[in-house]
Amino acid sequence: MAEPSPAALQGGLLLSGGLRPVQPGGVVLAARGVSKNFPAVRALVAVDFELKAGEIHALLGENGAGKSTLIKVMTGVYERDGGDVVLAGRIIHPAHAGEAQALGISTVYQEVNLIPTLSVAENLMLERQPGRFGFVNWRRLRADARQMLARMGLDIDVSRPLGGFSVAVQQLVAIARAIALNARVLILDEPTASLDREEIDLLFAVMRDLRAAGLGIIFVTHFLDQVYEITDRITVLRNGQLIGTYETAELSQIDLVHHMLGRQLESASHRRKRPATGAPAADLVSVRGLGRRRLMEPLDLEVRAGELVGLAGLLGSGRTETAKLIFGAENADCGEVRVAGAAVDTSSPRRAIRAGFGFCPEDRKVEGIVPELSVRENIILALQARQGWHRPIPRAEQQRLADQMIEALGIATPDSEKPVGQLSGGNQQKCILARWLVSSPRFLILDEPTRGIDVGGHADIITLLRQLCDEGMGLLVASSELEEIVAVADRVAVLRDRRKVAELSGEAVTRAGIIEAIAQ
Amino acid sequence: MFKSFFSERTLPLAATILVCLALYGWGMIQYRGFRDTLVLGNLLTDNAFLIITAIGMTFVILAGGIDLSVGSMIAFVGVLIAVLTRDFGFHPLAAAFVALVIGSLLGGAMGWLIQAFDIQPFIITLAGMFFLRGMAFLINLDSVPISHPFVDAFAAFRIPLPGKGWLSASALVMLAAVAGGIVIAHFTRFGRNVYAVGGDRASAALMGVPVGRTTVRVYALSGFFSALGGVIYAFYTASSYPLAAVGVELDAIAAVVIGGTLLAGGIGFIAGTFIGGLIQGIIQTLIAFDGSLNSWWTKIVIGGLLFTFIVMQRLLTRSFVGLRKAA
């Protein structure tokens, strides 16, 4: 089939000539056996997906499931390696997002891609400003913009800059822009991630209206409650494969969570046996009502000396947010952190380090290591920060600590002067661990300690974590891998939709137990 | 209407106008001579080349860039006009036309380099600054008088104002340039695209704004306006000197920022730049009227004003949700 020019497609669309009109309930957009490979990764494996006109369809899956790849293939951001994308009965080959938009597939991302310094009206009308000879007809521009927003029940001053409005309003403006381009399919990629409840209600009202008007809406979200509140059907992907498409009303939450995480045999418990010491150790760190609006509901959490507490939950449930709040990398707006019974100020990472905290972040490339610095320099970073920069650690002492850690953790590096950026992922992670160990924290927070690390490194790090507990340190480990949590944790705090929903301990710490807690 | 006038975008402009009126008012209270239109006429004339140059700079900064080559452009254009009229028998107007075309082309070339190779505008226009200053010296090492009946007539032209003041030809050209700048910025699609590119480059590209073309045109426009500034400067002083207008690029940037344009781009007004240029002139005049103060006090006061305005901008951008770029 010859590639039709975008202009021809747009013309055809406007006249409804090239594309058959789709009745409500008919399939408006479909992926048939779509595959996409990246170097070393099969991101999508023969995935089928169908979106009906007049439905809201949730696209769900954990990290790496292939949600965004599927969306990008359907909107022309990526070229597919196999299969077909069918819009209203016709196979399409959009070459970029603009072409997909001209065909009627519009996408609104979580991060609003509009221009905050321009007025709302200009944002809505930017590429089709009315006027002639290059001059802008301001009156008509504002009137058209007002009309576009009125369709969504939004009445705001369109001449004010967009950046002055809340994220929710910006989101709605982005949607108004998207559907004004004769959209038949609207893709919303995590639109609710930074909205509060009233704003979500406003967005949902608009989504229901659009559904009633016959639009097909794909809704990507991490919030299970919202899935059940607004969607008609659910498609679950896992590891690039289609798990299934279900009617929302007929799928129980526990089945949904099982579909997302995968049903695996309960592995034999590797769980540490806590030495039965009679009276439980006193709380080392206790978190009381710590939270931040729009980020995390207030939560309580205790970690005792020599105990490893796991943070479990689906993607987007608030694991990383909790870790950062406790360490002061995000500012809490309520609650407090107590260490050994006394309140401590953890309003910044620096203060938290002074209080004896350590934090290994999730994205070690961005937030953890300094790749250009040597292994030695990376290892002494936190200790030096804790001592204050006016009291430098003598070079010989630095060398001793670095050599000791390289040996103790088995960091595979020819010498302590190699830039950390040149080491493998597992060894980088060990360097970050070493950094906190030399500053001997009382309490160490690890976010996804084994992500991107090969099997051997994985086992090393798990063993290390256990040793640290045995030495009396308190550990908080956030992980998306339930097996890992089950293997190492004494106690597990289960998060869902940015809330702590359960706490499991002892024999209750099993994969099934955690899934049940998430789905309850 | 009143409410929307004092929105986030117009607040810096309102502050600029207020500062301008306060300074002028203070001068009128302090000094009898300040009350005459003679001061106003002189302000418009003496700062004409600076304000014209700053208009081009406003477009560049609105689009999120910077142009350091404008001061050298003024000197280069002056020398070029002087040599063309003296040695090649050009009419000064024809020489000015050649200078404007060359200025626009050079500006556009810098814009193309910035755009095509994705290079910091700072460094490209810094190169342009050295290049043009060098070219000015290459053409002529010394000061050259421009003697031509037209230039004499240009310098002598005046429209009387009520009182003792008068509007010079320089001032009239400058006022026309300001009007032209306002039309381009606020009433053309190109102007809106400039604001869009400066507000968020990546989003603008996603929304179908021709980012590359807009960038090239913005620098061409700055080349044009700085060349026009150079023409006015040459006609006004009836001479040219390769070391003329050293540091004017920084005065122009100061006029733009004091005029309420966001250094990060996306927000600002040509009218603000006009007033920003006037404020610099008023401060200079006030210090001259005082008589006891060293003229370098002008720089100190302008420095202080700049500090104030930059901090104000920072506070303002913070209130914007979703503004990803740092100011």
Side-chain angles (χ1 to χ4, degrees):
Chain A
M1 190 183 92
E3 284 279 324
S5 76
L9 285 172
Q10 198 165 17
L13 185 73
L14 291 173
L15 300 170
S16 288
L19 298 166
R20 275 180 278 134
V22 176
Q23 297 302 314
V27 175
V28 60
L29 179 68
R32 303 210 193 286
V34 164
S35 296
K36 177 71 195 171
N37 299 320
F38 292 114
V41 184
R42 298 186 73 191
L44 287 178
V45 185
V47 168
D48 290 316
F49 173 78
E50 274 190 354
L51 175 71
K52 293 178 188 165
E55 77 163 344
I56 299 177
H57 196 131
L59 187 56
L60 303 179
E62 285 286 279
N63 233 338
K67 290 170 303 196
S68 34
T69 311
L70 179 60
I71 286 175
K72 285 176 177 167
V73 165
M74 291 193 295
T75 54
V77 178
Y78 293 155
E79 203 178 325
R80 56 190 183 254
D81 294 331
D84 287 320
V85 175
V86 183
L87 178 69
R90 228 177 67 176
I91 296 174
I92 56 166
H93 294 270
H96 53 82
E99 213 173 302
Q101 204 163 54
L103 287 166
I105 306 173
S106 289
T107 314
V108 174
Y109 296 97
Q110 175 191 350
E111 196 172 299
V112 181
N113 277 311
L114 298 177
I115 297 165
T117 54
L118 288 186
S119 71
V120 173
E122 286 172 277
N123 268 296
L124 283 169
M125 307 287 297
L126 193 60
E127 78 292 6
R128 55 211 137 101
Q129 299 168 18
R132 52 170 87 182
F133 310 127
F135 288 92
V136 180
N137 183 339
W138 280 101
R139 192 185 301 252
R140 233 184 79 203
L141 188 136
R142 292 206 190 94
D144 288 359
R146 262 193 293 274
Q147 204 180 357
M148 284 164 75
L149 291 180
R151 276 164 59 189
M152 312 186 46
L154 198 59
D155 182 23
I156 55 176
D157 181 358
V158 295
S159 56
R160 275 189 58 200
L162 180 79
F165 292 98
S166 69
V167 179
V169 172
Q170 295 191 27
Q171 200 83 254
L172 292 178
V173 172
I175 293 174
R177 204 186 130 78
I179 59 171
L181 299 160
N182 305 301
R184 7 172 103 206
V185 174
L186 179 63
I187 301 173
L188 300 173
D189 193 355
E190 287 193 59
T192 56
S194 48
L195 306 187
D196 64 20
R197 189 59 233 182
E198 293 93 85
E199 293 169 338
I200 290 170
D201 288 339
L202 187 62
L203 178 70
F204 280 3
V206 168
M207 284 168 68
R208 289 195 183 97
D209 284 351
L210 295 176
R211 167 170 65 187
L215 231 69
I217 300 176
I218 299 175
F219 181 48
V220 179
T221 184
H222 295 313
F223 297 99
L224 295 188
D225 287 344
Q226 295 177 5
V227 169
Y228 281 93
E229 185 180 340
I230 191 149
T231 67
D232 303 302
R233 290 197 299 163
I234 299 171
T235 291
V236 179
L237 300 179
R238 184 176 0 116
N239 297 329
Q241 293 184 320
L242 175 73
I243 301 304
T245 297
Y246 315 91
E247 296 287 331
T248 306
E250 293 165 11
L251 183 66
S252 71
Q253 293 217 15
I254 188 139
D255 286 340
L256 173 59
V257 176
H258 271 297
H259 289 316
M260 288 169 71
L261 294 177
R263 207 184 280 272
Q264 288 168 20
L265 290 173
E266 186 78 30
S267 49
S269 174
H270 303 294
R271 207 145 47 79
R272 272 170 1 109
K273 285 277 173 274
R274 278 189 65 77
T277 49
D283 288 351
L284 173 68
V285 173
S286 69
V287 173
R288 292 266 163 267
L290 196 69
R292 179 177 170 176
R293 200 168 156 257
R294 287 172 198 249
L295 191 73
M296 196 70 211
E297 305 254 329
L299 90 168
D300 295 339
L301 195 68
E302 286 85 34
V303 180
R304 302 186 187 105
E307 188 182 42
L308 195 154
V309 176
L311 277 177
L314 296 175
L315 182 69
S317 59
R319 295 186 310 250
T320 300
E321 288 77 2
T322 304
K324 284 188 170 173
L325 277 171
I326 296 175
F327 189 61
E330 290 279 0
N331 285 327
D333 57 12
C334 61
E336 61 168 5
V337 177
R338 290 175 162 270
V339 176
V344 292
D345 179 6
T346 57
S347 57
S348 76
R350 201 179 141 78
R351 295 205 171 94
I353 291 170
R354 289 258 164 88
F357 287 19
F359 177 48
C360 300
E362 176 177 19
D363 189 343
R364 59 178 169 269
K365 287 229 169 57
V366 178
E367 299 174 29
I369 60 162
V370 186
E372 295 81 13
L373 292 187
S374 71
V375 172
R376 172 180 54 81
E377 287 165 318
N378 266 287
I379 287 176
I380 62 129
L381 206 56
L383 181 61
Q384 183 70 78
R386 191 173 171 186
Q387 287 207 347
W389 295 101
H390 53 280
R391 284 195 307 168
I393 302 167
R395 176 65 193 255
E397 175 72 5
Q398 291 184 15
Q399 196 63 53
R400 194 185 61 74
L401 286 169
D403 290 343
Q404 188 190 339
M405 280 299 152
I406 289 171
E407 162 122 35
L409 304 189
I411 299 173
T413 175
D415 60 71
S416 61
E417 298 308 306
K418 193 175 169 94
V420 164
Q422 295 175 14
L423 302 184
S424 73
N427 285 304
Q428 291 181 0
Q429 189 68 19
K430 285 179 185 171
C431 285
I432 297 178
L433 261 175
R435 173 191 298 170
W436 294 112
L437 297 185
V438 298
S439 73
S440 47
R442 287 186 280 182
F443 174 55
L444 187 58
I445 305 166
L446 299 108
D447 193 4
E448 301 288 351
T450 59
R451 171 161 301 165
I453 289 175
D454 59 32
V455 180
H458 192 283
D460 281 357
I461 288 182
I462 299 282
T463 314
L464 237 157
L465 296 185
R466 290 189 188 144
Q467 276 174 12
L468 292 176
C469 279
D470 291 339
E471 288 165 16
M473 196 184 285
L475 272 83
L476 182 66
V477 175
S479 175
S480 57
E481 287 176 44
L482 293 186
E483 283 74 19
E484 187 172 300
I485 295 264
V486 170
V488 299
D490 300 308
R491 220 146 36 85
V492 178
V494 181
L495 306 178
R496 172 184 166 161
D497 297 355
R498 315 255 155 142
R499 248 174 329 116
K500 179 176 163 188
V501 289
E503 191 166 307
L504 311 171
S505 62
E507 295 306 311
V509 179
T510 60
R511 192 187 158 79
I514 295 174
I515 289 180
E516 208 168 298
I518 293 174
Q520 76 189 194
Chain B
M1 193 62 220
F2 192 72
K3 199 180 124 210
S4 82
F5 180 75
F6 281 105
S7 76
E8 296 89 331
R9 280 195 290 187
T10 47
L11 199 72
L13 180 64
T16 305
I17 294 174
L18 216 71
V19 168
C20 183
L21 290 179
L23 283 171
Y24 209 91
W26 191 70
M28 283 166 78
I29 293 166
Q30 287 285 316
Y31 310 106
R32 282 188 65 88
F34 223 95
R35 290 171 213 168
D36 199 87
T37 51
L38 185 66
V39 171
L40 182 69
N42 286 346
L43 266 178
L44 295 176
T45 305
D46 295 344
N47 295 290
F49 80 99
L50 172 65
I51 291 173
I52 291 172
T53 307
I55 292 168
M57 184 71 79
T58 312
F59 282 99
V60 174
I61 292 180
L62 276 177
I66 198 88
D67 189 350
L68 298 179
S69 69
V70 295
S72 300
M73 180 73 86
I74 291 172
F76 170 73
V77 162
V79 174
L80 186 70
I81 290 175
V83 170
L84 281 180
T85 41
R86 187 189 64 178
D87 300 346
F88 296 87
F90 274 58
H91 187 276
L93 270 182
F97 179 76
V98 172
L100 289 180
V101 170
I102 291 180
S104 309
L105 289 177
L106 283 172
M110 284 191 284
W112 182 79
L113 285 172
I114 288 163
Q115 191 295 110
F117 299 103
D118 194 20
I119 304 175
Q120 292 276 345
F122 179 89
I123 209 72
I124 287 284
T125 57
L126 184 71
M129 172 178 126
F130 288 127
F131 175 79
L132 286 170
R133 186 68 69 183
M135 287 297 283
F137 277 105
L138 194 69
I139 297 173
N140 200 310
L141 279 176
D142 304 309
S143 173
V144 182
I146 306 174
S147 48
H148 190 280
F150 174 79
V151 176
D152 298 340
F154 184 90
F157 180 86
R158 40 183 71 179
I159 294 176
L161 289 174
K164 288 184 225 153
W166 38 268
L167 278 178
S168 67
S170 302
L172 288 174
V173 172
M174 183 268 284
L175 291 175
V178 170
I182 289 175
V183 169
I184 295 173
H186 302 300
F187 298 99
T188 66
R189 271 178 229 173
F190 164 73
R192 302 327 293 166
N193 288 345
V194 170
Y195 280 84
V197 170
D200 189 326
R201 204 181 171 80
S203 294
L206 279 178
M207 291 163 78
V209 173
V211 173
R213 207 169 69 205
T214 305
T215 307
V216 174
R217 284 200 202 168
V218 156
Y219 284 92
L221 203 64
S222 177
F224 173 83
F225 276 108
S226 55
L228 184 62
V231 169
I232 295 303
Y233 189 77
F235 286 1
Y236 169 61
T237 58
S239 72
S240 77
Y241 183 48
L243 267 182
V246 170
V248 163
E249 59 278 350
L250 303 181
D251 291 337
I253 294 170
V256 173
V257 172
I258 292 176
T261 298
L262 211 61
L263 257 184
I267 298 180
F269 298 91
I270 302 293
T273 299
F274 170 65
I275 294 168
L278 278 188
I279 286 178
Q280 294 194 35
I282 294 171
I283 293 169
Q284 222 157 10
T285 315
L286 280 174
I287 284 162
F289 265 72
D290 179 89
S292 67
L293 287 173
N294 188 315
S295 69
W296 289 105
W297 274 95
T298 314
K299 301 281 177 199
I300 295 173
V301 176
I302 289 173
L305 263 184
L306 266 177
F307 279 131
T308 319
F309 273 79
I310 294 276
V311 170
M312 198 176 80
Q313 285 188 2
R314 189 76 199 129
L315 296 177
L316 196 79
T317 39
R318 267 200 209 152
S319 74
F320 265 47
V321 182
L323 197 64
R324 274 165 268 165
K325 247 183 330 190

